[in-house]
């Protein structure tokens, strides 16, 4: 009597596919050879990200031979709605081929932080206005003057940010920034949330400031008012018992961003240029979420 062998379960099928692709990816030499595993419907995003991490450097640094180049691979992945994978490919390609001088990146990060500081400072003055007696015209006028000054400073910085970003010499970074900014929640990547939490920001608490609009009224067209904390965050000032009356922006001076690939520099490079929300593998996310939850419980 013969018995038909039961077909593999879905889990077994995906495990077998991952084993096969893992063995194959260690020997690939050109970007075209990554297309099959990265476009496969048998692998999860996490598994595909691991394959990109495991692929030899030559895959990304070569000219692609007669096949596709690394930028072509990015395009194929983006066209297939795999922006996360395209960003990871771009990140590996950038680390292997870009010049060591990343002053342009440091400048963009400084401008991003400056914009957030200005906006959060403006919100502090908006909230302060609600507590000034209507009869105190002098204080109301001084407060409004601060708000107008911050508005002007915001748009000056915004224009500077546009000029700097438009002049980035790294084509890989330009592609990555374009893809990143397609996603409104790009700033919620685990690397930036952990950075915010460890600096004492709202990502380490359960206040929810990072995900809700910080501005409750007025014209906010063109203003990104959902983002991570600076030293001007009103919620942080209150929690840490700091008087917000006379603040000076010191956030930019505290940026640690070097030409070497140290851990914090790579964190900022990933967070501000290459990563999207949800890009990290589950193991990385679990460690990050565990940390922020620990901070939240301690607050």
């Amino acid at each position: 009597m013969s018995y038909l062998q039961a077909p593999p379960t879905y889990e077994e099928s995906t495990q077998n596919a991952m084993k096969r692709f893992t063995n194959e990816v260690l020997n690939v030499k050109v970007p075209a050879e990554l297309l099959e595993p990265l476009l496969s419907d048998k692998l999860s995003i996490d598994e595909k990200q691991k394959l990109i991490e495991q692929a030899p450097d030559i895959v990304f640094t070569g000219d692609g031979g007669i096949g596709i180049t690394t930028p072509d691979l990015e395009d194929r992945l983006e066209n297939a709605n795999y922006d996360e994978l395209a960003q990871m490919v771009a990140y590996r390609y950038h680390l292997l081929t870009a010049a060591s001088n990343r002053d342009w990146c440091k400048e963009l990060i400084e401008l991003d932080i400056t914009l957030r500081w200005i906006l959060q400072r403006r919100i502090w003055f908006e909230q302060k206005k609600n507590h000034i007696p209507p009869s105190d015209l002098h204080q109301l006028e001084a407060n409004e003057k601060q708000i107008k000054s911050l508005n002007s400073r915001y748009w000056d910085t915004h224009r500077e940010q546009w000029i700097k970003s438009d002049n980035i010499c790294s084509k890989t970074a330009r592609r990555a920034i374009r893809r990143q900014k397609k996603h409104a929640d790009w700033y919620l990547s685990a690397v930036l949330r952990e950075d915010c939490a460890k600096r004492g920001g709202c990502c380490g608490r359960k206040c929810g400031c990072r995900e809700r609009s910080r501005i409750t009224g007025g014209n906010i067209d063109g203003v990104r008012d959902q983002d991570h904390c600076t030293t001007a965050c009103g919620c942080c000032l209150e929690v840490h018992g700091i008087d917000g009356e006379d603040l000076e922006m010191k956030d930019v001076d505290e940026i640690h961003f070097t030409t070497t690939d140290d851990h914090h520099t790579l964190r900022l490079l990933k967070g501000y240029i290459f990563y999207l929300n949800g890009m990290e593998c589950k193991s990385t996310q679990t460690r990050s979420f565990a940390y922020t939850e620990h901070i939240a419980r301690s607050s």
Side-chain angles (χ1 to χ4, degrees), residues 252-268:
V252 169
D253 297 331
E254 295 174 350
I255 294 176
H256 172 80
F257 194 91
T258 68
T259 56
T260 61
D261 290 340
D262 63 86
H263 179 73
H264 193 69
T265 295
L266 292 182
R267 173 194 294 279
L268 297 181

Side-chain angles (χ1 to χ4, degrees), residues 119 122-123 212-220 223-225:
L119 179 63
R122 170 191 156 185
I123 293 169
R212 66 169 177 261
S213 176
R214 291 176 182 261
I215 298 178
T216 57
N219 182 9
I220 61 170
V223 176
R224 195 178 82 237
D225 66 327

Side-chain angles (χ1 to χ4, degrees), residues 47 74 84 89 107 150 158 201 206 216:
E47 289 171 327
E74 290 178 39
E84 301 97 329
V89 168
E107 290 173 349
L150 288 166
H158 180 79
K206 295 183 178 180
T216 57

